[in-house]
Amino acid sequence: FPYTTLFRSAVIASTPTERQVAKLVASGESNKEVAKHLSISERTVKAHMSAIFEKLGLRDRLQLSLHINGLSI
């Protein structure tokens, strides 16, 4: 994935699992699919997503995907 400056700066503060969750969500996977892929609960995926949104200053999955994939909004 190409990374924007915003995403690169947030990656430093993110955990490895948060980075994995962000990449999978940005590729279009649902919370359920991410949970299965990483062998974690959907509730844990949601917790990681909340942390990711806060660290990146984003509101939703679409903004996350756009940022990770290098598109401006």
Side-chain angles (χ1 to χ4, degrees):
F1 295 105
Y3 296 106
T4 64
T5 302
L6 177 62
F7 185 73
R8 276 192 302 257
S9 63
V11 164
I12 296 168
S14 298
T15 67
T17 305
E18 286 174 355
R19 289 192 294 272
Q20 288 180 305
V21 168
K23 288 178 186 179
L24 292 169
V25 168
S27 72
E29 290 194 16
S30 68
N31 287 353
K32 186 174 186 173
E33 291 167 329
V34 172
K36 184 175 180 179
H37 187 96
L38 298 178
S39 299
I40 59 178
S41 71
E42 284 186 68
R43 184 174 181 172
T44 301
V45 172
K46 290 176 185 179
H48 285 307
M49 290 300 296
S50 293
I52 291 163
F53 291 153
E54 185 175 332
K55 289 176 183 180
L56 291 172
L58 302 174
R59 291 184 311 258
D60 56 36
R61 300 168 80 89
L62 177 58
Q63 285 187 340
L64 176 64
S65 183
L66 292 172
H67 276 287
I68 288 179
N69 292 304
L71 303 171
S72 60
I73 51 175

